[in-house]
Amino acid sequence: MFAGGGEAALIRRYFQGLTSQREGIVNGIGDDSAVVEPPAEGCLAVCCDTLVEGVHFPADIPAEALGHRALAVNLSDIAAVGGEPLWAVLSLTLPADDSHWLEGFADGFKLLADRYGVALIGGDTTRGSLAVTVTVIGRLPKGGGILRSGAQPGDGIWVTGTLGDAALGLKRWHDRAGVPLSGDPALLAAQLFRPEPRVAAGRALRGVASAAIDISDGIAVDLSRLLEESGVGATLILDDLPRSEAYIAEGGDLATMLHGGDDYELCFCSPPLSAEMVEQLSQQAGTSLTRIGTVDATPGLRGVDGAGNVCALQSDGYDHFSS
Amino acid sequence: MFAGGGEAALIRRYFQGLTSQREGIVNGIGDDSAVVEPPAEGCLAVCCDTLVEGVHFPADIPAEALGHRALAVNLSDIAAVGGEPLWAVLSLTLPADDSHWLEGFADGFKLLADRYGVALIGGDTTRGSLAVTVTVIGRLPKGGGILRSGAQPGDGIWVTGTLGDAALGLKRWHDRAGVPLSGDPALLAAQLFRPEPRVAAGRALRGVASAAIDISDGIAVDLSRLLEESGVGATLILDDLPRSEAYIAEGGDLATMLHGGDDYELCFCSPPLSAEMVEQLSQQAGTSLTRIGTVDATPGLRGVDGAGNVCALQSDGYDHFSS
């Protein structure tokens, strides 16, 4: 855990401010273990994601964006089960003690943590190739959260926000050739660097969604996982996949929407929803909800195009160990 | 979190078996977040440690030893606050998908987890330079755990087990020149590769110790941290520092006992203890307890040698960011 000496000074300087925003913290940063008091009722959701330079983010990512992103991807995992994030633990592996970089990283992390009332209660700093691991603990109602395994034939399939923006943003980032991004490419890159975790959506979906998953590996592969866990299949209406104006303007294609990673949106299934219900959920979620298909009993994931052609969708998204 | 595709298969194969040993697991490995039910009473201890190849372990460490060690260093952090470990989350960054290596790693992790009834509830696998981050959540009585900040002048200073073994073991490991270690050097290396977390000692010390810390960065630096947090100082009787027979036989020196890292022993302070009490605590802890000095009001850490000479002890242990 965050200890003493140079490491302690580093932590005090950049991260200490984040320990006291939450109820239930008996001891935050500074001892061998943090001590927290869990909520009197309900369950805890626990998730952990690691971001490695060159694998999960480009080497030239702004430090502040990485701080945001490392927390956001975990808040997205908490959101996917309908949880409310409480506490975070941060492990930061750094090649050097660069105070300017650290300041930016801490700022990005803090800004997002503050918005969701998440307290940093501990962690570790080590020397090595740049990598960030965050563990987040959140609160759930008694009985648990929304799982991947509850989808039923006949359920509608929905997605928050729009698809493909982050993957196209990464392309534009790599292509920028030294010129700062602006306009639509900048909007797309923001989806990559500062994804908005769908925490409000996840909470709104409690008791509504039969199953949910975050689609950070691309909707084709992540929805396929959900379908497999639920023992069902699905057909998507490809023309209904939601795309942003920036995505259209930048010529984003269907394949990137289906298979591009880093969209921290939620895909969920639900028995039929009235238009009023969708409107209400969308307001609670603070984002659009788009119906993109229907769960059926035949295993596998299929797509129907505008001409009525049905094709099997490859569930090949981003998987570090599939090769 | 542990997801699908190649990663899911890898996790199912090597780690799935570890999810069901503990009460309170609503959903373990396989969803966006794990869901657990916290104990009805008391607090939770949360800690996180990262091990990086070449920084925290030699590149040629046996996989099974790394699996053990990654969990052990965290159980030691839980032990230092007097906690009982419950659940672990594992993030594993690997350069390649080597099933033989993974099997060894999982075996080492499992064997230790089983002994302490720790359930692996989730995690992440990524590609990159070899690094392991483990987060452990443990249980504490209502009111919290043993802190670093409670030491008082007049308290005795105690340590579990013996000092310096792991650091000398690392030296013998590096020096082995292709010949497998045996005898005393092998015993010392075992302290490095398979440290025994002092979980039983930590629990026995609840209500007894005024302060405690694990001394993984060396007793000089870690005890100095404890003293600083408590606003006190201390004097150690250098001849009383406990050393193992293997350590003596291999010619271990005083400096390595004071400043060598990787001793996952507990150092604690306590008001005077009767011989009966020490005997009882030692039995509960399953290890020797040695009194090595006394807390006093003068800040700083001092040592007294056999001739009565007092010297200031440098609090320079292992700190990745002190240089």
Side-chain angles (χ1 to χ4, degrees), chain A residues 13 18 40 57 112 117 121 130 176-177 187 224 244 248 271 273 304:
Chain A
R13 180 150 170 216
L18 270 166
F57 57 89
L112 186 66
I121 57 171
L130 183 58
R176 75 192 189 286
L187 286 174
S224 294
S244 67
I248 296 167
L273 296 169
V304 187

Side-chain angles (χ1 to χ4, degrees), chain B residues 290-311:
Chain B
T290 308
R291 179 162 175 170
I292 57 172
T294 305
V295 176
D296 48 47
T298 310
L301 180 61
R302 291 157 295 279
V304 187
D305 68 14
N309 301 310
V310 178
C311 61

Side-chain angles (χ1 to χ4, degrees), chain A residues 269-289:
Chain A
C269 303
S270 153
L273 296 169
S274 68
E276 290 76 17
M277 186 68 174
V278 174
E279 174 58 30
Q280 189 191 321
L281 286 171
S282 171
Q283 281 195 3
Q284 290 170 348
T287 183
S288 62
L289 303 178

Side-chain angles (χ1 to χ4, degrees), chain B residues 210-232:
Chain B
S210 55
I213 191 167
D214 94 340
I215 54 168
S216 52
D217 290 335
I219 193 163
V221 66
D222 279 318
L223 177 55
S224 293
R225 287 169 184 159
L226 181 153
L227 298 172
E228 197 184 327
E229 289 285 328
S230 296
V232 294

Side-chain angles (χ1 to χ4, degrees), chain A residues 1 4 6 31-34 36 44-50 77 89 91 124 126-127 129 135 148 214 225 319-320, chain B residues 1 4 6 31-34 36 44-50 56 77 89 91 124 127 129 135 148 214 225 319-320:
Chain A
M1 288 287 280
D31 219 293
D32 291 75
S33 295
V36 293
L44 296 174
V46 185
C47 65
C48 171
D49 263 316
T50 295
D77 277 331
V89 178
S91 168
D124 195 15
T126 53
R127 279 244 193 261
S129 322
T135 302
R148 297 179 179 178
D214 96 338
R225 286 168 185 159
D319 186 336
H320 313 130
Chain B
M1 289 285 279
D31 219 293
D32 291 74
S33 296
V36 293
L44 297 174
V46 184
C47 65
C48 171
D49 264 316
T50 296
H56 302 93
D77 277 330
V89 177
S91 168
D124 195 15
R127 279 244 192 263
S129 321
T135 302
R148 297 178 180 179
D214 94 340
R225 287 169 184 159
D319 187 334
H320 314 130

Side-chain angles (χ1 to χ4, degrees), chain B residues 24-47:
Chain B
I25 300 177
V26 181
N27 285 286
I29 291 173
D31 219 293
D32 291 74
S33 296
V35 180
V36 293
E37 216 163 340
E41 279 235 323
C43 291
L44 297 174
V46 184
C47 65

Side-chain angles (χ1 to χ4, degrees), chain A residues 207-219:
Chain A
V208 174
S210 54
I213 191 166
D214 96 338
I215 53 169
S216 52
D217 290 335
I219 194 163

Side-chain angles (χ1 to χ4, degrees), chain A residues 16-29:
Chain A
Q16 196 80 287
L18 270 166
T19 61
S20 57
Q21 303 172 355
R22 263 286 169 189
E23 72 275 24
I25 300 177
V26 181
N27 284 285
I29 291 173

